[in-house]
Amino acid sequence: MPTLIGAAMIAAAILLSTLINSLGSRYVGFESPTEESAWLVDRLTGHVYKCHAPQPGRASCEAEIATGSVGEQHKR
């Protein structure tokens, strides 16, 4: 019985650390060719945002509709 309790505690710790890690790295940013805009991807929901910052400071982000997937490869 103590073995099962220990295994359950380890499993809970692994699941909790995975949840914390995924929430900590929720957003991924991609730079665009111009320095004024960038793309922000929400890993949790899959939404894509185009952020625009003409001057230093906070950027304004608008949701963009994207189709396909990142890294999609064509089969030959």
Side-chain angles (χ1 to χ4, degrees), residues 72-76:
E72 184 176 335
Q73 297 179 357
H74 298 286
K75 295 181 181 178
R76 294 181 186 195

Side-chain angles (χ1 to χ4, degrees), residues 21-39:
N21 188 27
S22 66
L23 291 178
S25 60
R26 180 175 176 178
Y27 295 100
V28 177
F30 297 100
E31 294 180 10
S32 64
T34 64
E35 293 184 11
E36 293 182 355
S37 63
W39 293 92

Side-chain angles (χ1 to χ4, degrees), residues 7-71:
M9 289 175 61
I10 291 171
I14 291 171
L15 290 174
L16 183 62
S17 68
T18 303
L19 176 66
I20 291 171
N21 188 27
S22 66
L23 291 178
S25 60
R26 180 175 176 178
Y27 295 100
V28 177
F30 297 100
E31 294 180 10
S32 64
T34 64
E35 293 184 11
E36 293 182 355
S37 63
W39 293 92
L40 189 65
V41 179
D42 185 352
R43 290 174 143 182
L44 191 61
T45 62
H47 291 112
V48 179
Y49 301 96
K50 184 176 182 181
C51 300
H52 184 70
Q55 297 176 355
R58 292 186 69 105
S60 63
C61 298
E62 299 175 5
E64 290 282 329
I65 297 174
T67 59
S69 63
V70 176

